Amino acid sequence: MKGLLKYIGYRLLSSVVMVFIMVTLVFFLLRVLPGDPVQALTGGKAPPEVVRQLKEQLGLNLPIYKQYFRFFSDIFHGNLGNSIVTGESVKSELLERFPATLELALVSVILAAGGGIILGIESAKREGTLFDFIAKLVALSFYAIPIFFVGIVMQYIFGVKLGWFPISGRIDPLNEPDKVISGLYLLDTLLTRNFEGFVDALKHIVLPAFSLALVLFSVIYRITRGNMILQLKKEYVKAARARGLKERKVVYYHAFKNAFIPIFTLIGLQFASLLGGAILTENVFSWPGLGSYLIDRIGYRDFPAIQGAILFYAVIVVFISIGIDIICALINPKIKYE
Amino acid sequence: MNLKKIQLYIGIFIVAMLFFIAVFGPLLTPYDPIAISNATFSSPSLSHIFGTDALGRDIFSRVLYGARISLLVSLLAVFIGVALGTFLGLIAGFFGGKIDKFIVLLMDAMYAFPGLLLAITFTAFLGQGIRNVAFAIAIAFVPTYFRLVRNQVLSIKNEPFVEATKVFKVPLWKTVFIYVFLPVVPTLAGILALSIGDAILTEAGLSYLGLGVPPPTPDWGADLSTGQHYILQDYWWCFLFPGIAIFLAVLGFALIGDYLSEEKL
Amino acid sequence: MVKKRLFALALPMFLLSSAVAGTKKDTVTIGTLDKWKVLDPAKAYDVMSCNLMQNTLVGLYGYKPGSTVPEPALASSVDISKDGKTYVFHLKKGMIFTNGDEITADTVKKAWDRVFKLKGDPAFLLTGVVESYKAKDKYVFEVKLKYPFAPFLSVVAFTVAYPVPSVFPENSFFKGDKYPASGPLMIKKIKRDRYVYLTKNPKYFDYKNVETKKVLIRQYQNAQTIRLALEKGDIDMSSSLTTLDIRDFMTNPKLKEKFRVYVSPSFVISYIVFNVKKKPFNNPKIRKAIAYLVNRGEIKKFAYNDILREDLYSMIPKNMWGYKPVFNKKPDVQKAVKLLAEAGFTKEHPLKINYWYPAGHYGTDVEKEAQIIKSQLEKTGVIKVTVKTTEWPTYLDYMTKGVLGMFRLGWAPDYIDPDNYVYPFLHSKADASLGSFYKNPELDKLIEKARSESDKKKREELYAKIQEYLWKDAPYIPLHQTESAIVADKKVKGVTNDPVYPRYYLLHK
């Protein structure tokens, strides 16, 4: 336990350094590479002296090192600056979008993990059979279709032709919860007993979540299958079977428990990466998440927004990966930490 | 026959076809893939077996030529990824200390970042072009190969046989080749094949966002992204053929990659 | 396996609740790709922000639906001095914001103070011409100009000159998204990048002419989803569709049954720019040779699905007074080859050039357009074109730094007057920002004279002269004037394809 605490301390410290490097890199890249927020904003229409004035207003005429110090002193005051495009505080813009991203990521990870793990285990049990072969072929095939294409086809079939699900957005604007509790509409609508809103939000999330889950599913399936095959060949499994334990218990409890850590780690990392925004899915379904925010603002060279989004994202990734490590350590105390 | 072997053979067959088309494709095409004509949106027929697109270009020719571009981009991306990853891995592994810590931190940061996000950020700033797109995709691969090489270096660094190479004045590259490269080849091969499939998909995603290989280059990702605009117009041939090409290529590499990484298990 | 089971579980629940209240019957829902950026007249310079403010606030001057001639709105009349430099606006009495505050000359003055002090993106439109202004009386607002400027009333009709309610801070831009309205509609509910919900303003002075009950504007991230949303019935109308989809709505009998397409000319033009300082485009012969080769009809047919484009032969659009078609109408390969030969280029020694267009910024049709222009120029056998592209901010950067030699741009006017198609493109004071770097002192004088002349006849003559230079020096090649198209469900009434801004307040079901 002491080792673990020390390890977490080390991880936290190095994470701060990592985030610092990341943000610094982005900061300088933005200013060195072509593209300028003022031009992007005025579309090249404003006369040169106006452009100069606007740059001055935004502090973009200062020497880079001064901008850099200003940026960091702002961060230490918990301030990410204001967006150049909208003038709103970047922090509030990010916080407004984060729940959308989180909700989509959660639902798709649950769907994908449910499907991927069960099929992976069943496949591993029947290693080398036709069932296994076909399951794997299906999983790899899902992976091989570009995700935006899956999304568009789903919109067309389930949205327009069959009319089952909405094809864009998080909820019908008129059903939008007035009170924001968690920002997760599925949760908020339930908490406020707004069942109509809940069903509406659920309907909206089906298509984007499923198309996102499809790709994730094949990744999770592969790692589950691989690790389960490894475990099922081990002595303790044979021993358990010999003791006359039910096959179901042997596989789903004993073997899976031992295969769990790599699977869990992978799911955790995939989840973290989804929190950066499932850019393509968000675009297809006009889902108002972090990924589309970042892309949008790159298109305007909105420096504060881009820096803020990257910082925010890096921090989330750090927390999740440390979280994964802690959970793994609690599950399996035998892991040693350097 | 063993089903596992079948998986491998299907994969190899697809990939071999792919390379064949990439090399000899241009000899098989009756049309210039970028020559526009008045026969726009003609459905598949004897003269255009895959039909023509919005600018009257022959889709069959574009798909065949596209094999070259798509393979070029993805192989280039993987190559850059491996090269950079190996280079950094060797440095980190052999030097150790603060340099190692710094590089590891940087790589960890990059590893956690979604590949597409990195690629988008880079192409947005670097501009479009085969080289830039390949580079942008490659960035996401670097950490994977870095880890592989660094771990291998660490595991052999203090072995007596490595010390011995110093005494016998074996050139450094030989030591690296024999003790670092050769042992990781089995692991590497599986990851490589999967990376190539990944690169093809990432490139298609970039194209969808308008950041891929610039037109009129015949490229599957670009053609699928343009073609999918015609779903509702029922010009199915515009997206179906480049789509199948991407699907098969990614599947082929994934089948091989999956087989190789499992054999290792 | 498992997925199917989950699906089976989920499905009945959805089917049970098919009747989600959602969008009500009296709401007109619009789908759009445009996002509003900032709701402050002193800062906003993008289409959607301006549209929203034009429907929720009123200026001293405005436009009647369908017209492009400014006419009094908050003002009842204006007196213009003989020298054209002093404007005295008389305000109507009893005009109020929804919070009850009256709009007086002082309100206008305060709003202008903000514009001059905060120097936001569109401020130059006012600060460039206005010398001083003051509230002479409670209902009299006086403006003095730096020089006589004929299109001034058009500037006054633009959002930058609108009076704003007192919630807009004196010393900073407005950061909120709801404000007391003075226009026909007011913002009821709004979420950035997602939707805007507008309802009728009960205190609007012209209340009886507002047809709308509720308008919901939904923002989408790609045009294809908008088309699907229309077919599905999620939205009632949109003007953000691709030409391909619009053509479907025009021709497909099934779609025609349910939808109607409203087409009208717009004031948006598309054109090619030459950087006249960059080789080889510093040679007018080469610019002219290229102008001789461009076939506008062919571009329209193959790149734009043969709809919504009109060939344009001057930088001033056709439906604007003063238009004079100065460019050659029929492509002339022989003349082009001759000019190229004079410039020293032949089949043996071809001219190699790059042609640039911005990726994504003007939709996907521009990509096709570039390929067609390439093939048109290469038909001579004397020119070899490499098509290049980059995303918008980088493109602008390259443009201002003079990296781009021959490239594609589009222009939407700030005010409806020929001056806005001439001054920014040809006057030496404005050149750098539009990428041609063209300078001509003679022409400068003509342009200045034309914008300060108040007699329309005389102005017309001057613009005719100015346009001659366009063809003589060919720093630009005008390509098309776009037509705008709105696709709307036939149930929606009051759809006008307005040339100035969309009139949400006339829509109803």
XYZ file of all heavy atoms in Angstrom, chain A residues 254 278 312:
26
model
N -13.342 -17.285 -12.439
C -11.925 -17.480 -12.150
C -11.020 -16.980 -13.267
O -10.103 -16.190 -13.040
C -11.647 -18.958 -11.857
C -12.263 -19.400 -10.589
N -11.682 -19.165 -9.371
C -13.439 -20.033 -10.339
C -12.468 -19.643 -8.406
N -13.541 -20.172 -8.978
N -15.131 12.175 -29.846
C -15.195 11.262 -30.969
C -15.513 12.127 -32.167
O -16.657 12.276 -32.552
C -16.280 10.232 -30.714
N -7.356 20.992 -20.737
C -8.469 20.309 -20.104
C -8.390 18.815 -20.406
O -8.508 17.969 -19.520
C -9.762 20.893 -20.684
C -11.021 20.378 -20.064
C -11.465 20.888 -18.858
C -11.784 19.411 -20.699
C -12.645 20.434 -18.300
C -12.966 18.952 -20.143
C -13.397 19.467 -18.944
